Amino acid sequence: MIVLSHYQIAPLLKSARPSAAQISPDLNLTTVEVTVTDAGVMFPAGDVLTWDDARAIAETDNACFALEDGAIHKLQTFSETTRRHVTLYPTKGAPTMLLAGFPMHRIKNTDPHQDTLAKIKAAEPRGRVLDTSMGLGYTAIQAARRATHVITLELDPAVEEIASENPWSRELFSNPKIERRIIDSAEAVLEFEDGAFDVIIHDPPTLQLAGDLYGAVYYHELYRILSKRGRLFHYIGDLKSPFGSRVAKGAGERLLAVGFREVKRRSESFALVALK
């Protein structure tokens, strides 16, 4: 499946016809040579993007499109679980996901791939890892390159559907070290044994969308299922902003109250790191 956004298409609209051009068919992961003709853009396998469809993509800056069987469709779906739209949102690098209009990665002065690498550097995944919020799977993919096994949780089947169409998420479905579970994270943690994980990466939606994932009851379960000297990475948001600072203060107090012996702010990754 060819996946495109306005970043790939806009330059082609200025190309001479006929001519050859380079384009990424998978949102900047790889490039191929295409033939630009009066009829449209022809890809190596014979797929043709018409100029009407090319212009529609170029004029849409908040979504990605798949090209299949000569037609395009927007990579967006409506979640029956959350009653919100889920959209694959393009950047100059890896795409992010919009959930009810909120981007699920940092995109200001960075991109989702670099954002993920910053999280992984602070989280230091090893051994058995729990990723509490799968999303597009970037965290699970990177964690699995260091850990022995990663369990990643996702509440919403619609999110998994969008991830399955994202070229940057392919390893989420192909890496045998990654185990996906479609389940509410707050319910899933109750099922794990004490000390089951060496590292927990907790990157929940915003407080407005998932307040229970910032509560003492949930934190107590994370503490319980961490191994001795285990590590919790808890994404908060910009710790230097007034809102992020308030959220971090409350979260830090609750983490200490349930037993974590040390909670540190990691401003470079917008997170708290707590040790058991």
Side-chain angles (χ1 to χ4, degrees):
M1 184 171 67
I2 296 169
V3 182
L4 305 164
S5 77
H6 68 97
Y7 288 108
Q8 290 78 48
I9 295 303
L12 289 183
L13 297 180
K14 302 175 183 178
S15 298
R17 306 174 194 175
S19 66
Q22 295 289 320
I23 185 175
S24 174
D26 49 17
L27 301 178
N28 302 320
L29 280 172
T30 64
T31 59
V32 297
E33 185 174 279
V34 295
T35 304
V36 181
T37 70
D38 288 336
V41 181
M42 179 175 291
F43 287 82
D47 301 274
V48 176
L49 176 71
T50 68
W51 288 115
D52 284 344
D53 284 344
R55 282 187 286 270
I57 295 172
E59 293 168 0
T60 306
D61 61 5
N62 62 353
C64 301
F65 292 80
L67 172 63
E68 292 184 288
D69 301 322
I72 62 169
H73 66 271
K74 185 182 292 187
L75 296 183
Q76 180 184 69
T77 189
F78 183 75
S79 168
E80 296 296 336
T81 302
T82 65
R83 311 303 296 175
R84 301 176 180 128
H85 281 97
V86 183
T87 307
L88 193 65
Y89 181 91
T91 76
K92 291 182 179 180
T96 186
M97 181 174 61
L98 291 185
L99 180 59
F102 289 92
M104 294 294 104
H105 300 86
R106 292 163 53 202
I107 55 176
K108 184 178 180 181
N109 300 322
T110 186
D111 66 62
H113 179 63
Q114 295 302 319
D115 179 37
T116 300
L117 294 182
K119 294 172 183 176
I120 292 296
K121 183 177 180 180
E124 299 180 13
R126 56 184 172 81
R128 286 180 55 83
V129 174
L130 176 66
D131 171 27
T132 65
S133 300
M134 184 186 81
L136 291 175
Y138 297 162
T139 298
I141 289 169
Q142 293 298 326
R145 296 178 183 179
R146 302 188 184 195
T148 57
H149 188 69
V150 177
I151 295 177
T152 182
L153 310 175
E154 176 54 54
L155 169 68
D156 193 352
V159 169
E160 185 179 47
E161 176 186 339
I162 292 296
S164 72
E165 298 179 302
N166 176 24
W168 287 77
S169 300
R170 288 171 183 159
E171 198 172 331
L172 177 66
F173 301 90
S174 63
N175 190 332
K177 293 201 297 184
I178 299 174
E179 179 183 341
R180 304 186 318 278
R181 297 187 185 181
I182 302 301
I183 187 174
D184 186 335
S185 181
E187 296 177 2
V189 295
L190 301 175
E191 301 176 2
F192 295 121
E193 296 180 357
D194 295 358
F197 298 98
D198 301 297
V199 175
I200 296 176
I201 302 175
H202 184 41
D203 184 5
T206 62
L207 181 64
Q208 300 95 315
L209 295 178
D212 59 328
L213 301 186
Y214 294 78
V217 172
Y218 184 77
Y219 289 168
H220 172 75
E221 293 302 321
L222 296 185
Y223 180 85
R224 179 185 63 79
I225 64 178
L226 261 180
S227 62
K228 188 176 181 180
R229 293 185 292 276
R231 187 178 185 89
L232 168 67
F233 172 92
H234 186 347
Y235 184 84
I236 297 291
D238 188 355
L239 303 184
K240 296 179 181 178
S241 71
F243 179 74
S245 180
R246 288 195 301 273
V247 174
K249 181 177 184 296
E253 290 172 351
R254 290 189 292 278
L255 290 171
L256 289 170
V258 302
F260 285 95
R261 61 182 171 86
E262 186 177 327
V263 179
K264 292 184 177 180
R265 293 191 175 209
R266 297 293 297 268
S267 297
E268 78 284 358
S269 56
F270 287 26
L272 300 176
V273 172
L275 303 179
K276 182 172 178 178

